[in-house]
Amino acid sequence: MHTRHIGLCVLFTLSGCAVTYDLTLMPRSSGKLYYGEATEQRGSGQAQVSITIEDKTYTGTWIATTPERTTGTVAAGIGFGTRHGGIGFGTAPVVVDNPSGGESKALLQAADGSGLRCDFKGTSSGRSGGGTCLDDKGLIYDVQIALKR
């Protein structure tokens, strides 16, 4: 690896690297598509979101509500020693992945004060996902979340 590339990697690591997603929404009342974008600071569990429906742009933040993985401790094991005769127990840390990825909630607002409430699944850093949004009039939108390339 060239020293220039190493320097860029260090710079990106220190800056936290942002991940950008393309959002595609379709209301359940028609086949029309609407679009948006979310930018997540890697590892923060938050993303800045902007979605435009008709001539109205909703902005806000998504916040992780369920992590993509969790950690815990497992206590297990019985050991018998032949030399000194005894029983031993042990604990070990474990990491468990959530098979459906992380979940997030987004509360978005337009300039006129109207709102859009979104629930996203599979929103682990660097992965695609999906979800739904609900507007103030009760209209539900299905959402695809794709990693921007």
Side-chain angles (χ1 to χ4, degrees), residues 86-100:
I87 299 174
F89 294 94
T91 61
V94 294
V95 176
V96 179
D97 284 336
N98 181 349
S100 62

Side-chain angles (χ1 to χ4, degrees), residues 51-70:
I51 296 172
T52 301
I53 297 174
E54 299 299 332
D55 294 328
K56 194 181 295 190
T57 299
Y58 298 87
T59 59
T61 304
W62 91 28
I63 302 292
T65 56
T66 303
E68 64 182 299
R69 66 179 48 95
T70 189

Side-chain angles (χ1 to χ4, degrees), residues 21 23 37-41 46-50 59-62 108:
Y21 301 91
L23 308 176
E37 187 172 276
T39 303
E40 176 188 30
Q41 201 62 25
Q46 297 184 16
Q48 295 302 311
V49 182
S50 175
T59 59
T61 304
W62 91 28
L108 311 176

Side-chain angles (χ1 to χ4, degrees), residues 30-134:
S30 77
K32 188 164 184 177
L33 294 176
Y34 301 102
Y35 301 95
E37 187 172 276
T39 303
E40 176 188 30
Q41 201 62 25
R42 190 177 294 274
S44 72
Q46 297 184 16
Q48 295 302 311
V49 182
S50 175
I51 296 172
T52 301
I53 297 174
E54 299 299 332
D55 294 328
K56 194 181 295 190
T57 299
Y58 298 87
T59 59
T61 304
W62 91 28
I63 302 292
T65 56
T66 303
E68 64 182 299
R69 66 179 48 95
T70 189
T71 59
T73 304
V74 175
I78 298 177
F80 295 96
T82 56
R83 199 163 186 193
H84 299 290
I87 299 174
F89 294 94
T91 61
V94 294
V95 176
V96 179
D97 284 336
N98 181 349
S100 62
E103 296 180 14
S104 300
K105 170 72 93 178
L107 300 176
L108 311 176
Q109 191 174 40
D112 67 0
S114 59
L116 192 64
R117 296 146 196 84
C118 303
D119 291 303
F120 300 136
K121 295 184 183 218
T123 54
S124 307
S125 291
R127 290 177 38 185
S128 297
T132 58
C133 291
L134 175 69

